[in-house]
Amino acid sequence: MLHGHQHNHREYNINNRKNGILRYDVGVDANGMSPVSAAEVIDFLFR
């Protein structure tokens, strides 16, 4: 599941992945104030 606008930090996505939760905050807050591509999300979740 992709979502945004929750004002999370990068650790939110990392912790979800560590816990086997396939949820990714695509908001810029959680991604170094930059947009992310679909390829980056797929790589992050399934590497």
Side-chain angles (χ1 to χ4, degrees):
M1 179 173 94
L2 303 178
H3 65 87
H5 200 81
Q6 289 193 331
H7 305 284
N8 292 309
H9 299 284
R10 177 101 177 125
E11 293 78 27
Y12 173 82
N13 289 331
I14 293 168
N15 288 334
N16 281 341
R17 185 178 62 190
K18 284 180 185 176
N19 292 316
I21 299 169
L22 295 179
R23 180 172 58 217
Y24 189 91
D25 185 342
V26 296
V28 295
D29 309 51
N31 295 288
M33 300 309 285
S34 297
V36 293
S37 68
E40 289 173 300
V41 173
I42 291 167
D43 181 56
F44 180 86
L45 292 174
F46 300 108
R47 61 180 154 141

